[in-house]
Amino acid sequence: MADFTGDNLTGSRFERVDLSGSEFLAVNLSGSRFRGVALSGSVLRGVELGNVDINGEIENVTVNGVDIGPLIDTELNKRYPDRVKMRPADPAGFREAWDTVERFWDQTVARARRLPPESLHEPVDGEWSFTETLRHLAFATDAWIRRAVLGDPAPWDPLDLPWDEMRDTPGVPRDRAVRPSLETVLALRRDRMSTVRELVDGLTDASLSASTEPVEGPGWPPPRSFPVRECLLVVLNEEWEHRLYAERDLAALEARQREDADGRSLPA
């Protein structure tokens, strides 16, 4: 087991490194960035946690003796009243949830269209660009609906974009260099969203409570059976969360555009 005591590792990069079970004593992590990091089961004592931005799944997290998960959930539901619709219990609820997803994404795409096309390829704070976000959602639909539920072992489109931490998998595309137009990506999105629409419109109590048949071959998810309900909930969660990320980043891009316009209007 490696032992780093008194070493200066400032600016180090750890990628695909297994640090499970590690111990950090009197360590300075100020300004560090964590992405796609598994922290379940961690214990933090005597920490200084200020000016910290956390986005992720928060469950059974106790801060100073208080489980903050329910508090966060309640606050998010206050901010976004439609969020509770993303955990439906019956076929009608899934149809209503997808109605909500379609309505909100129509508004977000309309907002994106008001920006210069090149801005939609700009990452914000190291996150995906707007078009990359749409490509990832196409991948999520292909993975959890077309592969897991509908049984297509290789449903991928060349523009599909897996999450960054997913290991390269034979047959699964991951082209971060391509710059398709918004209309090209939206055509793919419309096709994949229509697939979900057709599925939820045809849901019955029996089909919703069923489980999928394992799909063999390389890809995601792995070849095992999943509850159909779970697959649909994954897609709803992806659609909801990534739209919020997109709205956040569009606001940043709009601010950049205003700053550039103000700069050009200043006298020389």
Side-chain angles (χ1 to χ4, degrees), residues 21-234:
S22 297
E23 187 173 13
F24 300 87
L25 299 174
V27 173
N28 186 355
L29 292 173
S30 300
S32 297
R33 298 178 64 90
F34 301 84
R35 181 171 179 177
V37 176
L39 293 171
S40 297
S42 298
V43 177
L44 289 75
R45 295 284 186 267
V47 299
E48 296 179 8
L49 200 64
N51 300 318
V52 175
D53 184 9
I54 299 175
N55 278 290
E57 297 182 13
I58 308 297
E59 185 177 1
N60 297 325
V61 177
T62 302
V63 177
N64 292 338
V66 178
D67 183 357
I68 65 172
L71 303 179
I72 295 172
D73 201 50
T74 299
E75 179 60 27
L76 288 174
N77 289 340
K78 287 181 182 177
R79 295 185 184 187
Y80 311 108
D82 288 297
R83 181 175 179 265
V84 296
K85 297 178 182 178
M86 297 300 111
R87 302 293 300 180
D90 55 27
F94 276 95
R95 286 187 277 275
E96 183 182 14
W98 196 248
D99 288 343
T100 302
V101 165
E102 290 179 331
R103 173 166 53 87
F104 281 164
W105 267 110
D106 282 346
Q107 297 169 4
T108 299
V109 169
R111 182 180 184 180
R113 288 186 187 279
R114 293 193 288 270
L115 286 166
E118 61 272 15
S119 295
L120 303 183
H121 295 298
E122 290 184 27
V124 175
D125 197 25
E127 302 291 338
W128 281 328
S129 69
F130 185 77
T131 53
E132 287 172 334
T133 295
L134 299 182
R135 292 170 56 198
H136 173 68
L137 290 173
F139 167 81
T141 302
D142 282 346
W144 289 102
I145 302 300
R146 300 180 76 214
R147 177 178 162 92
V149 177
L150 301 181
D152 185 345
W156 323 112
D157 185 272
L159 289 179
D160 279 3
L161 188 62
W163 72 99
D164 287 344
E165 293 77 27
M166 177 178 170
R167 295 185 182 276
D168 289 339
T169 303
V172 180
R174 187 205 296 277
D175 189 346
R176 291 296 300 270
V178 67
R179 293 292 183 269
S181 68
L182 177 62
E183 296 308 319
T184 297
V185 177
L186 287 177
L188 174 62
R189 273 283 283 163
R190 283 191 292 268
D191 179 78
R192 296 318 194 245
M193 292 182 83
S194 69
T195 299
V196 182
R197 166 55 65 190
E198 183 177 356
L199 179 63
V200 298
D201 281 352
L203 276 180
T204 63
D205 289 334
S207 63
L208 181 59
S209 61
S211 293
T212 67
E213 292 293 328
V215 178
E216 299 297 332
W220 183 262
R224 66 179 179 86
S225 180
F226 298 89
V228 170
R229 181 191 307 272
E230 178 182 313
C231 297
L232 287 168
L233 289 174
V234 168

